[in-house]
C-alpha cells in the first residue's frame, strides 16, 4: 500500500449514517469514496437506541466504502479503523476553575500551568452516569487580569478556567459497542459542534462573541463562543422533525408531511390547500420553530456571555422564510443563516458527495492522522497444470527442485517436517477456535449487560434536561423515550 494514508470518517446522526474515505495529497485531502444509509429510528436525537441495527448500518457503510477502494497496484483495501464524531442529546459543557496562590511574586511557568490542568482533571466532579470526553482551557486570570498566555508573568495568584465536555456513559458505551460488533476500531472521536465551528465561523466571529445554532432533525445544538473560545455547549431535544410529526396529525403520511414542510415553509404564498391548508402549516411551523428559538434565546442569556450575533446552520435552518420567525422571536439579535460552505477538497471522478458530505464529516477527515486501512492479503497455494491432478515429477517420484540444488532428500526428515507443519496448523486452528469462543462469550456477556441496562433505562434520560427546560420539552422527551 506504500505511503498512502487512508483516513476514514463516520458520522451518526438522527436521520442517517454517513461515511467517507480520503487520502492525503500535496494539494490537501482528496475524497475517494463516500457512502450513506438512512436511519429508521434506531438512532434518535443523536443517541444509539439499538446497538445491533446501528452495527449493521456501520457494516453496510464500511462494505460500501471498501467496494470502491483499491491502491495503485489494484490491491483490495480493508477498513480497520475510523474517526467518529460525537454529538447527541446528552453531550454538554460544565465550567470549572482552579486557583493557585503564592506567598511572594512568582513567575508563572509551563509546569505550573500543567499542574493546574492535572488538578482540574483530578478535582472535577463528573456527574454520575457521565464520562468526560474533552477539557478546553478557556483562559487564565493573573492577579485578576485576563491573560490567555500567562507563562512568564509574575503573579501572586493565578486562576485557570476550564470547560469540561461530558456525555452519558451508557450512550458512549452503546456507540463503542456498535463499532465493536462491526469489527471497526474507533481511532479517535471529535465533538461535531466544534468541527462545525472551525469550518463555519470566522476567527473574528468567535473572538467578538456569537452563537452557532445547528437545527437538526431531532436536536438543536447551541455552541457559544467568545474571546475565540467555546464558552458553552448545549443540545436541546427539539428539531425540525417535530414540525413533520405535527403535520402528520392532519391524517397524512410522514413523507407527505415532510414534502409540505420543505416545499411550502413558513408564510407560504401559494394557493395549495390540499391535503393541508397553508394556515395550518404556518401555525405548526410557528409553534415548533418558535419553541426552538425561545429556548435558544434562553440558553444564550443563561450563559452570561455578551452575545448579539446568532448564526444558524443545519437542515432545519433551510426552512423557507425562517427569517420572519427570527424577527418575531429574536428581535434583539443579529441573525443569519450560514450557507453550505464550499469545502476545499478534491474529489475522485465518479464519487458522489451530494446529500452525504457535512462539515462534521469533512472536519473528521482533516483531523485524522493515522492510516485506517490495510491491504487484503490473499494466500495462493501452488496449483498443478490444468487438467493434471499430479505433476509428472510427482508421478515418477522425481523432485526436480531438489535435483537442481543437488540436495539429497532424507525421507525421515521430510516426514518429521510434515508432522511439524501439521502440528503447527492444528495449534493455529485451535487458537482461532479459542479466540472465536472468547469473542462469542464476550459478546454474549455484553449483550446480557446491555439488555439488563435497557430494562432500567426508562428514567435515565429524564435527568439530562436542566430545571430551565419547560415541562412541554420533558413531555416530548418522555414520548420519544416510550
Amino acid at each position: 500500500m506504500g505511503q498512502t494514508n487512508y483516513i476514514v470518517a463516520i458520522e451518526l446522526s438522527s436521520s442517517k449514517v454517513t461515511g467517507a474515505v480520503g487520502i492525503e495529497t500535496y494539494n490537501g485531502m482528496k475524497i475517494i469514496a463516500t457512502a450513506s444509509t438512512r436511519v429508521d429510528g434506531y438512532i434518535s436525537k443523536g443517541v444509539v437506541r439499538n446497538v445491533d441495527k446501528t452495527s449493521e448500518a456501520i457494516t453496510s457503510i464500511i462494505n460500501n466504502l471498501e467496494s470502491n477502494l483499491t491502491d495503485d497496484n489494484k490491491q483490495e483495501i480493508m477498513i480497520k479503523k475510523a474517526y467518529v464524531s460525537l454529538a447527541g442529546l446528552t453531550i454538554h459543557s460544565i465550567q470549572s476553575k482552579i486557583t493557585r496562590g503564592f506567598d511572594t511574586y512568582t513567575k508563572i511557568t509551563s509546569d505550573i500551568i500543567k499542574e493546574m490542568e492535572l488538578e482540574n482533571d483530578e478535582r472535577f466532579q463528573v456527574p454520575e452516569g457521565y464520562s468526560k470526553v474533552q477539557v478546553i482551557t478557556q483562559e487564565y486570570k493573573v492577579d485578576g487580569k485576563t491573560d490567555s498566555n500567562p507563562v512568564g508573568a509574575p503573579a501572586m495568584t493565578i486562576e485557570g478556567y476550564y470547560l469540561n465536555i461530558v456525555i452519558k456513559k451508557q450512550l458512549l458505551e452503546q456507540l463503542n459497542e456498535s463499532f465493536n460488533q462491526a469489527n471497526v476500531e474507533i481511532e479517535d472521536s471529535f465533538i461535531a459542534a466544534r468541527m462545525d465551528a472551525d469550518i463555519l465561523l470566522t476567527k473574528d466571529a468567535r473572538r467578538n462573541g456569537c452563537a452557532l445554532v445547528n437545527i437538526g432533525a431531532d436536536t438543536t445544538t447551541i455552541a457559544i463562543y467568545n474571546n475565540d473560545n467555546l464558552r458553552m455547549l448545549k443540545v436541546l431535544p427539539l428539531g425540525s422533525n417535530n414540525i413533520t410529526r405535527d403535520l402528520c396529525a392532519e391524517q397524512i403520511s410522514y413523507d407527505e408531511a415532510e414534502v409540505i414542510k420543505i416545499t411550502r415553509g413558513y408564510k407560504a404564498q401559494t394557493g395549495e390547500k390540499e391535503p393541508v391548508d397553508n394556515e395550518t402549516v404556518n401555525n405548526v411551523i410557528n409553534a415548533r420553530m418558535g419553541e426552538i428559538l425561545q429556548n435558544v434565546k434562553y440558553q444564550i442569556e443563561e450563559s452570561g456571555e455578551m452575545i448579539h450575533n446568532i448564526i444558524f446552520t443545519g437542515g432545519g435552518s433551510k426552512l423557507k422564510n425562517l427569517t420572519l420567525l427570527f424577527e418575531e422571536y429574536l428581535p434583539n439579535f443579529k441573525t443569519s443563516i450560514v450557507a453550505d460552505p464550499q469545502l476545499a477538497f478534491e474529489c475522485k471522478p465518479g464519487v458522489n458527495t451530494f446529500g452525504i458530505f457535512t462539515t462534521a464529516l469533512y472536519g473528521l477527515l482533516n483531523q485524522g492522522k493515522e492510516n485506517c486501512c490495510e491491504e487484503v492479503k490473499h494466500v495462493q497455494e501452488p496449483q498443478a497444470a490444468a487438467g493434471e491432478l499430479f505433476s509428472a515429477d510427482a508421478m515418477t517420484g522425481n523432485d526436480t527442485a531438489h535435483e537442481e540444488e543437488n540436495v539429497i532428500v532424507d525421507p525421515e526428515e521430510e516426514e518429521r517436517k510434515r508432522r511439524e507443519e501439521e502440528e503447527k496448523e492444528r495449534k493455529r486452528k485451535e487458537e482461532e477456535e479459542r479466540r472465536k469462543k472468547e469473542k462469542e462469550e464476550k459478546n454474549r456477556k455484553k449483550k446480557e449487560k446491555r439488555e439488563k441496562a435497557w430494562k432500567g433505562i426508562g428514567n435515565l434520560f429524564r435527568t439530562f434536561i436542566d430545571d430551565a427546560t419547560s415541562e412541554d420539552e420533558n413531555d416530548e422527551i418522555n414520548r420519544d423515550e416510550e
Side-chain angles (χ1 to χ4, degrees):
M1 197 160 56
Q3 299 298 316
T4 304
N5 226 22
Y6 291 83
I7 308 300
V8 180
I10 295 180
E11 181 185 15
L12 287 74
S13 71
S14 297
S15 59
K16 59 187 176 181
V17 178
T18 54
V21 180
I23 57 175
E24 297 173 344
T25 68
Y26 291 110
N27 297 322
M29 185 62 63
K30 180 178 181 180
I31 312 304
I32 62 173
T34 59
S36 176
T37 183
R38 289 185 60 180
V39 172
D40 295 322
Y42 50 84
I43 300 177
S44 176
K45 301 186 187 300
V47 173
V48 173
R49 303 291 188 185
N50 188 307
V51 171
D52 291 344
K53 290 187 179 296
T54 302
S55 175
E56 291 173 5
I58 296 170
T59 300
S60 173
I61 292 293
I62 294 298
N63 291 340
N64 199 325
L65 293 174
E66 287 180 341
S67 67
N68 294 289
L69 295 182
T70 56
D71 64 9
D72 295 337
N73 299 319
K74 305 302 180 182
Q75 181 69 45
E76 292 181 39
I77 304 300
M78 179 183 293
I79 295 173
K80 304 296 292 183
K81 300 182 288 188
Y83 288 88
V84 180
S85 63
L86 287 180
L89 190 57
T90 70
I91 192 167
H92 64 277
S93 63
I94 303 175
Q95 291 182 326
S96 61
K97 182 177 74 172
I98 297 296
T99 303
R100 284 289 180 90
F102 309 101
D103 295 333
T104 61
Y105 275 99
T106 302
K107 185 171 71 173
I108 304 302
T109 64
S110 58
D111 287 339
I112 292 176
I113 297 299
K114 290 179 181 177
E115 289 172 2
M116 293 176 68
E117 292 173 351
L118 289 173
E119 185 177 349
N120 179 72
D121 288 339
E122 294 172 356
R123 292 180 56 186
F124 175 71
Q125 296 294 317
V126 179
E128 185 177 355
Y130 280 80
S131 292
K132 183 169 60 177
V133 293
Q134 189 174 8
V135 180
I136 303 166
T137 301
Q138 294 186 314
E139 63 194 5
Y140 295 93
K141 286 188 177 181
V142 178
D143 291 341
K145 295 182 179 180
T146 301
D147 192 337
S148 60
N149 186 17
V151 174
M156 292 291 290
T157 61
I158 179 172
E159 298 173 330
Y161 293 82
Y162 307 92
L163 196 69
N164 306 273
I165 310 297
V166 299
I167 190 171
K168 274 278 190 179
K169 184 183 297 183
Q170 185 175 11
L171 303 185
L172 199 60
E173 290 173 352
Q174 289 165 199
L175 178 67
N176 290 330
E177 179 63 15
S178 298
F179 277 87
N180 285 339
Q181 288 188 195
N183 293 318
V184 179
E185 178 186 347
I186 297 179
E187 174 61 27
D188 205 350
S189 56
F190 298 91
I191 297 169
R194 294 203 71 193
M195 291 185 292
D196 285 345
D198 288 343
I199 295 172
L200 299 175
L201 299 181
T202 65
K203 192 174 183 65
D204 284 343
R206 293 195 299 266
R207 182 168 49 238
N208 296 334
C210 69
L212 178 63
V213 179
N214 188 324
I215 305 177
D218 286 331
T219 60
T220 295
T221 303
I222 307 168
I224 296 178
Y225 279 81
N226 210 345
N227 292 330
D228 203 26
N229 274 312
L230 179 65
R231 299 292 176 171
M232 190 195 79
L233 178 62
K234 181 75 173 181
V235 182
L236 304 175
L238 306 167
S240 62
N241 272 353
N242 290 349
I243 298 173
T244 309
R245 295 189 187 101
D246 280 3
L247 290 175
C248 287
E250 300 299 315
Q251 305 303 312
I252 59 176
S253 70
Y254 183 91
D255 290 339
E256 285 180 302
E258 187 72 8
V259 169
I260 290 174
K261 178 184 73 175
I262 294 173
T263 56
R264 295 197 209 175
Y266 186 58
K267 296 291 185 182
Q269 301 298 317
T270 69
E272 296 182 56
K273 294 184 179 180
E274 299 295 336
V276 183
D277 62 83
N278 287 332
E279 183 179 359
T280 299
V281 174
N282 290 338
N283 289 339
V284 170
I285 292 177
N286 191 317
R288 286 307 189 177
M289 290 305 298
E291 186 178 26
I292 291 174
L293 298 179
Q294 285 177 321
N295 274 276
V296 168
K297 178 183 177 182
Y298 175 82
Q299 294 298 334
I300 292 174
E301 292 172 348
E302 280 294 293
S303 73
E305 301 292 332
M306 296 297 293
I307 302 298
H308 301 287
N309 188 13
I310 307 177
I311 301 165
F312 289 86
T313 185
S317 70
K318 305 302 187 292
L319 193 71
K320 289 182 180 179
N321 299 322
L322 184 59
T323 54
L324 297 177
L325 289 171
F326 293 164
E327 295 172 3
E328 180 178 348
Y329 290 98
L330 303 170
N332 298 324
F333 293 90
K334 178 183 177 181
T335 57
S336 60
I337 300 172
V338 66
D340 291 332
Q342 299 299 311
L343 301 175
F345 57 78
E346 180 186 358
C347 232
K348 180 181 177 181
V351 174
N352 174 42
T353 60
F354 180 77
I356 295 177
F357 237 70
T358 63
T359 52
L361 203 60
Y362 180 66
L364 284 173
L365 291 174
N366 277 338
Q367 292 285 351
K369 303 300 178 186
E370 297 296 324
N371 181 38
C372 298
C373 301
E374 65 179 32
E375 290 181 350
V376 177
K377 302 294 184 181
H378 295 290
V379 179
Q380 296 183 349
E381 297 182 0
Q383 299 178 349
E388 295 181 353
L389 291 177
F390 302 98
S391 67
D393 287 335
M395 294 289 288
T396 59
N398 295 329
D399 192 328
T400 306
H402 284 293
E403 286 178 358
E404 290 177 353
E405 297 175 6
N406 296 318
V407 175
I408 298 175
V409 178
D410 183 349
E412 293 183 359
E413 179 67 17
E414 288 293 300
E415 179 64 18
R416 184 185 64 80
K417 290 181 178 179
R418 185 186 65 78
R419 287 197 300 268
E420 287 181 352
E421 290 299 323
E422 289 179 350
E423 181 65 15
K424 288 181 181 178
E425 180 65 14
R426 183 185 65 79
K427 290 182 177 180
R428 184 186 67 79
K429 290 182 177 180
E430 288 180 352
E431 180 64 17
E432 285 185 353
E433 185 65 22
R434 183 186 66 79
R435 291 181 179 178
K436 181 180 178 181
K437 289 181 179 179
E438 285 183 352
K439 184 176 181 180
E440 290 175 350
E441 179 64 16
K442 182 179 179 181
N443 287 338
R444 184 187 66 79
K445 290 181 178 179
K446 286 183 177 179
K447 185 176 180 180
E448 289 179 353
K449 180 180 178 181
R450 186 169 65 251
E451 290 174 349
K452 183 178 179 181
W454 274 106
K455 291 179 181 179
I457 203 170
N459 296 320
L460 285 177
F461 290 98
R462 296 174 184 167
T463 59
F464 59 79
I465 300 297
D466 57 28
D467 293 337
T469 306
S470 68
E471 292 182 0
D472 288 341
E473 295 169 19
N474 285 328
D475 292 340
E476 177 66 23
I477 298 170
N478 291 334
R479 289 196 298 273
D480 182 74
E481 292 278 342
E482 295 171 356

